Amino acid sequence: MRAAVLHAPGGTPVVEAFADPEAARERPVARVLAAGLNPVDLAIAGGNMPFRRVTFPAVAGYEGVGETDDGRRWYVAGPATPFGTLAELMPVPVAEALPVPEGVDSGLAASLGVAGMAAWLALEYRAHLAPGETVLVLGAGGTVGQIAVQAALALGAGRVVGAARGPRSLERVRSLGAHAVAGLRDDAEASVRELRDAAPDGYDVILDLLWGEPVTHAIEAAGRGARLIQVGNSAAPTVSLSAPNFRNKLVAIIGHTNFLTPLEARRGAYQHLMEHAAAGRIRLEFERLPLTDATRAWERLREGHSGKLVVVP
């Protein structure tokens, strides 16, 4: 089969021939319909993801949607190594594969895997979001953030605020149904003011995809007893926090990763995402690229491309 193959840690995959999963007696095998690219792919390829170790050569790609011989579509995360999803074929781990219903595009179904579950699980499983609560999505302009805005609405949030940089990102967030948007500024005072103006009574839940300086601004705008769910650190891996700022508001800082979430919770989250996607309540723009362009797609991911990239055979 043709596949995007990694030959060394931290390398760039090359599209070439690779052994079929059948040759390794992996059953069942699916024909790949769409493979989503995520920052986690870079971490896995670089040997920086303790939850998934690969030996080289290996096929790149952590998540994808494929069709088995019986015509059923499955969302697969982490097929058995050395196989990945940037290929024509992939093995399907039957116990962990998630069914993709009719009415949902395969590219969208792949895009709502890692990113979608990060958003949904952070709100439902970790924050225990209650109907009517006020939610701030910190970093709402990115893929996870866009999904999180819509997921918060679907889960019954009373007010959803999306914080992002730049007018284009803010307009996109507003178009997804956010009740208000807040611009993230280099000027800390201005940034905090926008966050407070968007929710004068404070935030019950803050979904943080940024960390770094923006999270300090969000804590200043938080309501008493807020739950801050830490999901990503695209702004910075570290931050200096003032203890009184979150202690005196009883703010709880809670980490989240899909990798340590029980399968049943992930299964339920993905089912909900598919139901809302089929009904048009959760949508996401993404760019399709052919498998022959997988190397360039990988390079764009490494360069920090902000949109969602999906590779198709």
Side-chain angles (χ1 to χ4, degrees):
M1 68 175 180
R2 301 290 291 174
V5 183
L6 289 160
H7 288 275
T12 299
V14 178
V15 180
E16 60 188 26
F18 196 83
D20 288 356
E22 289 97 333
R25 297 185 179 180
E26 297 282 355
R27 294 290 190 272
V29 171
R31 177 174 60 88
V32 178
L33 302 175
L37 282 178
N38 303 281
V40 71
D41 289 302
L42 301 177
I44 292 170
N48 301 316
M49 185 55 65
F51 308 113
R52 182 168 172 84
R53 299 293 190 186
V54 297
T55 55
F56 302 92
V59 178
Y62 177 74
E63 71 171 347
V65 169
E67 183 180 44
T68 47
D69 288 341
D70 58 5
R72 300 181 69 184
R73 291 187 300 160
W74 300 93
Y75 169 80
V76 171
T81 60
F83 300 104
T85 59
L86 295 183
E88 294 174 323
L89 301 171
M90 65 178 176
V92 177
V94 177
E96 297 187 2
L98 306 177
V100 177
E102 293 184 10
V104 180
D105 177 86
S106 295
L108 180 58
S111 300
L112 292 179
V114 169
M117 283 191 277
W120 191 279
L121 289 166
L123 293 167
E124 181 187 51
Y125 177 71
R126 297 298 281 163
H128 301 291
L129 176 63
E133 289 192 306
T134 298
V135 175
L136 170 64
V137 179
L138 199 59
T143 298
V144 178
Q146 291 178 55
I147 299 170
V149 167
Q150 298 170 87
L153 293 167
L155 285 164
R159 184 168 182 81
V160 179
V161 177
R165 286 187 179 272
R168 290 184 62 185
S169 290
L170 292 173
E171 185 55 39
R172 183 186 304 119
V173 172
R174 199 188 300 275
S175 74
L176 295 174
H179 298 100
V181 297
L184 296 174
R185 314 292 182 187
D186 293 328
D187 183 315
E189 189 174 312
S191 191
V192 172
R193 185 169 57 251
E194 287 212 28
L195 290 169
R196 285 176 170 163
D197 288 347
D201 294 329
Y203 299 96
D204 301 299
V205 173
I206 299 168
L207 193 154
D208 170 41
L209 305 168
L210 302 177
W211 204 236
E213 197 64 24
V215 82
T216 67
H217 306 160
I219 288 173
E220 289 198 42
R224 184 173 295 173
R227 292 95 74 201
L228 190 154
I229 314 301
Q230 213 301 300
V231 180
N233 51 268
S234 60
T238 61
V239 66
S240 178
L241 290 177
S242 169
N245 277 4
F246 68 89
R247 182 183 66 232
N248 292 339
K249 288 187 175 182
L250 303 179
V251 173
I253 300 177
I254 304 166
H256 171 73
T257 173
N258 291 348
F259 290 98
L260 294 180
T261 302
L263 174 60
E264 284 311 304
R266 286 185 277 124
R267 190 185 301 278
Y270 192 72
Q271 181 179 344
H272 288 308
L273 287 161
M274 291 299 97
E275 291 171 355
H276 288 292
R281 290 186 293 267
I282 291 183
R283 51 195 171 90
L284 181 72
E285 293 183 5
F286 57 90
E287 181 181 352
R288 299 180 202 264
L289 299 99
L291 180 59
T292 51
D293 286 346
T295 297
R296 178 56 186 151
W298 190 272
E299 291 171 344
R300 289 173 62 187
L301 179 67
R302 181 179 284 148
E303 291 164 1
H305 179 74
S306 60
K308 183 68 176 181
L309 300 174
V310 173
V311 174
V312 298

